[in-house]
Amino acid sequence: MRMRLSRRSELFLPLALLIPVALGRAREAVAVCVALALARLCTLCGAEGFARAAAQEVSPRRVRGAWTDALLAGLALGTAAWRWGGGICAWLFARTPETEWWTGICLTGGLLALARLNEEYLHASAQRESASLSAFVRAALLAGGVLCGGVWIAGAAALGWLVSLVVAWAVGGCPFAVPNGAALWQMPAACVRALLYPISGLLLLAGFWRRAGAWAAAGYLLGLAMYACAATPFRRSASESGPLHLGLLLPAALLCAAAPFLPAQMRAVTALTAFAAFTGMLTNAAPTLRGALATLALSLSCLSAWLFADIAMIAAPLCAAIALALLVPDAREMALRRRARRARSRRN
């Protein structure tokens, strides 16, 4: 169950993009994040919709049909976004985007979204290690492309998509089948769950960009790693939410407690990671009183720098300590489960 719920391969892309951010390529890394988020929005998160559909199917043929649904929908919606999205941007912002820039954004985001769909097919085929390898190669290629800049970003995204398709076809078998509409029904709900932090986090990032550009980009990527790693196709049950509480709230609470003693630019990192924890709890954790109280305490700890500036050095660590205290039962439960697994392995 732990292996099914945790998706550690989702850490590769955000953590790989931290390398260009640290080397002065924060603007290009954020542009990649924007491209991916917009592409996933325009294609209604076909990869996540396929994951929800595949979890409910028992026939391999119907799973392949759902993959074909998501692929065809992604190609059609992505082409429509590229064709008419520039006009929508001109209407919203009174400025027509440059043709080369818009084409690069659409191409990069669309190819990354399609690569995610190939990796979800590997997960549906019980090829978790192959999916992780594909995600690692894609992240490494994209980080290198961001460091080089320009057309290298789109080229790295294209090569990553090609690698993911070859691995998916070679390991999981031919993914094409007659479309059955299973993924199309799941895509709207999957889009809301998958993009709550990636889209709203970009808006929060824009607010911090002028004062702390690189720090804000790093905070967004760390929050994206937390949110994506904890995401599941369906909401977790109460017994499954313990690791989620620790994975989301623990690092965010530690950062919030230390924020008043760090430089002002670090507040962007604290705010974005705390927001990722909040949205992750909202979309993936089972609704419990203890989880709600821990999330509330974390939010107060994060906002204390703005709401209680005079006593932030006391309020932030205190609220973070309350959040951490509420996580003690989850840590104890995980320790007991780990001990029980070790005892069963010794008996066997």
Side-chain angles (χ1 to χ4, degrees):
M1 184 65 68
R2 179 179 62 88
M3 299 301 291
R4 180 178 68 85
L5 291 176
S6 61
R7 186 69 67 83
R8 296 171 187 169
S9 59
E10 294 292 340
L11 295 171
F12 294 149
L13 182 59
L15 296 184
L17 289 178
L18 283 175
I19 300 175
V21 170
L23 296 177
R25 292 281 188 172
R27 189 178 298 273
E28 290 80 359
V30 171
V32 170
C33 295
V34 171
L36 179 57
L38 290 179
R40 294 173 70 189
L41 176 63
C42 294
T43 58
L44 297 179
C45 291
E48 287 75 10
F50 165 73
R52 287 172 63 93
Q56 299 175 346
E57 298 290 348
V58 295
S59 169
R61 180 180 59 82
R62 289 190 58 83
V63 170
R64 294 195 300 271
W67 183 90
T68 307
D69 285 339
L71 175 65
L72 296 177
L75 292 175
L77 293 173
T79 303
W82 168 74
R83 177 65 179 82
W84 292 288
I88 296 175
C89 290
W91 178 75
L92 287 174
F93 305 108
R95 181 181 178 183
T96 303
E98 297 180 3
T99 304
E100 293 183 0
W101 179 84
W102 179 250
T103 301
I105 285 289
C106 292
L107 186 61
T108 301
L111 289 171
L112 290 176
L114 292 178
R116 290 178 58 88
L117 177 61
N118 296 331
E119 290 159 9
E120 287 294 345
Y121 175 72
L122 286 169
H123 281 287
S125 302
Q127 299 294 334
R128 181 176 178 270
E129 291 78 9
S130 298
S132 299
L133 177 62
S134 175
F136 177 80
V137 172
R138 176 167 57 91
L141 289 171
L142 194 61
V146 172
L147 286 174
C148 296
V151 296
W152 290 96
I153 299 176
L159 186 57
W161 167 77
L162 182 60
V163 169
S164 68
L165 179 61
V166 170
V167 173
W169 199 316
V171 178
C174 178
F176 294 97
V178 178
N180 54 34
L184 299 179
W185 293 104
Q186 302 291 343
M187 284 164 61
C191 188
V192 174
R193 289 175 54 84
L195 293 181
L196 182 60
Y197 173 77
I199 295 294
S200 55
L202 284 174
L203 300 177
L204 187 59
L205 167 63
F208 285 107
W209 183 256
R210 284 190 178 181
R211 296 183 178 180
W215 287 108
Y220 176 79
L221 290 171
L222 288 174
L224 185 63
M226 293 166 53
Y227 185 85
C229 184
T232 50
F234 302 95
R235 185 182 293 275
R236 302 180 184 220
S237 65
S239 60
E240 297 169 339
S241 295
L244 176 69
H245 293 168
L246 293 174
L248 289 177
L249 298 179
L250 179 59
L254 294 176
L255 282 174
C256 290
F261 310 97
L262 297 175
Q265 293 85 349
M266 285 292 293
R267 293 180 182 177
V269 180
T270 302
L272 285 160
T273 51
F275 185 66
F278 175 79
T279 52
M281 291 287 293
L282 187 64
T283 56
N284 293 295
T288 60
L289 178 60
R290 185 162 53 82
L293 291 176
T295 307
L296 177 61
L298 174 66
S299 302
L300 291 176
S301 177
C302 177
L303 295 174
S304 61
W306 292 275
L307 298 180
F308 317 110
D310 296 334
I311 57 172
M313 291 188 176
I314 299 176
L318 178 61
C319 294
I322 294 174
L324 293 175
L326 291 169
L327 298 180
V328 171
D330 294 317
R332 185 182 297 114
E333 181 182 0
M334 288 184 62
L336 291 175
R337 289 184 177 182
R338 187 178 296 109
R339 190 181 305 169
R341 286 196 299 267
R342 290 176 180 175
R344 285 197 299 267
S345 63
R346 290 172 183 172
R347 287 197 298 267
N348 296 332

